[in-house]
Amino acid sequence: GELLSRLSRLRRDVSVRAERTTRDRARLTWMWDVTNLADKRIVRNNQRGVNSRFYRPGPYGPMEQQASSFVEWYFEEIR
C-alpha cells in the first residue's frame, strides 16, 4: 500500500529529473558546440593575422596586464 505508493512516486520523480537533465545537457552541449566553433574561428583568424607579413608585434594593451606580468616574470626566471 503506502510503501508501493511512495516507491511509485519516487520512481516518477527520478524519471522526470532524468528527462530534465537530459534536456538541460542537450541545451548545454549545443551552447558549448556553438561557442567552440566561434572560438575556433576567432583563433584561426588571429593566427592568420600573426602569420601575415604585415604583422608587427606591439606593446601590451591595458587589458593585457596579467600577460605582461607573466612574461616579465618568465624572462626573469630563465635568466
Side-chain angles (χ1 to χ4, degrees), residues 60-68:
Y60 287 104
M63 294 183 68
E64 297 176 302
Q65 181 57 45
Q66 287 180 329
S68 177

Side-chain angles (χ1 to χ4, degrees), residues 24-41:
D24 290 346
R25 185 177 297 133
R27 284 182 27 227
L28 286 174
T29 301
W30 173 85
M31 181 58 75
W32 289 329
D33 289 343
V34 168
T35 303
N36 282 333
L37 286 173
D39 288 350
K40 186 176 181 179
R41 186 178 67 237

Side-chain angles (χ1 to χ4, degrees), residues 2-64:
E2 177 65 27
L3 181 57
L4 288 177
S5 177
R6 283 181 165 178
L7 286 174
S8 178
R9 282 195 306 267
L10 179 61
R11 193 175 306 130
R12 185 187 66 236
D13 290 348
V14 167
S15 176
V16 167
R17 286 187 188 132
E19 184 179 325
R20 189 178 309 137
T21 300
T22 300
R23 276 197 316 265
D24 290 346
R25 185 177 297 133
R27 284 182 27 227
L28 286 174
T29 301
W30 173 85
M31 181 58 75
W32 289 329
D33 289 343
V34 168
T35 303
N36 282 333
L37 286 173
D39 288 350
K40 186 176 181 179
R41 186 178 67 237
I42 290 167
V43 169
R44 187 182 301 128
N45 288 338
N46 188 55
Q47 189 61 49
R48 194 175 296 146
V50 170
N51 290 342
S52 164
R53 63 188 171 99
F54 299 106
Y55 174 77
R56 298 291 176 265
Y60 287 104
M63 294 183 68
E64 297 176 302

